[in-house]
Amino acid sequence: VQLQASGGSLVQAGGSLRLNCVASGSIFVINSLGWYRQAPGKEREFVASITRGGTTRYADSVKGRFTVSRDSTKKTVALQMNSLNSEDTAVYYCNADLWAAGTPGARDYWGRGTLVTVSS
């Protein structure tokens, strides 16, 4: 199983950016997909997630600015980020709670991060 994230870039404060993540491999079911981020010198923190049923959850710091969505195949998750500010600068990681073929059950998988830099 692989999670491939893309879309990180340098953007000016107040701007927008869209991150995408694709899950690939032999997957029985994806329970949820989401995003975490880690700013320099800080712990990794939850950003947003969406369940198989479409329920979304957001960190307070991004509510009203970020939108998480998934496509009809349910293997791709996107994070639309608007009104970006310097505190959003971080490496963003895609996360999936999924059950892969050949494993005993669902667990967390992580993708390699994609860097978002917001310039003021």
Side-chain angles (χ1 to χ4, degrees):
V1 172
Q2 283 192 329
L3 299 178
Q4 183 65 50
S6 62
S9 182
L10 172 64
V11 61
Q12 287 189 333
S16 298
L17 205 58
R18 185 178 180 88
L19 305 182
N20 291 286
C21 176
V22 180
S24 62
S26 298
I27 299 170
F28 286 149
V29 63
I30 299 177
N31 293 318
S32 67
L33 289 165
W35 296 91
Y36 285 69
R37 67 186 181 186
Q38 187 166 18
K42 294 188 177 181
E43 298 285 321
R44 188 176 297 189
E45 65 175 2
F46 168 79
V47 176
S49 66
I50 184 166
T51 69
R52 184 160 45 124
T55 300
T56 57
R57 190 165 66 96
Y58 297 92
D60 287 344
S61 60
V62 306
K63 279 181 182 176
R65 301 188 299 122
F66 290 10
T67 302
V68 63
S69 61
R70 62 194 298 179
D71 70 0
S72 58
T73 69
K74 297 183 172 56
K75 288 189 175 181
T76 299
V77 62
L79 185 68
Q80 178 66 41
M81 305 185 293
N82 299 326
S83 301
L84 287 161
N85 59 62
S86 58
E87 294 186 351
D88 297 316
T89 293
V91 177
Y92 284 70
Y93 295 91
C94 180
N95 168 266
D97 174 9
L98 62 85
W99 184 8
T103 65
R107 69 170 180 88
D108 273 343
Y109 288 80
W110 295 90
R112 299 178 70 172
T114 185
L115 178 62
V116 173
T117 304
V118 183
S119 63
S120 54

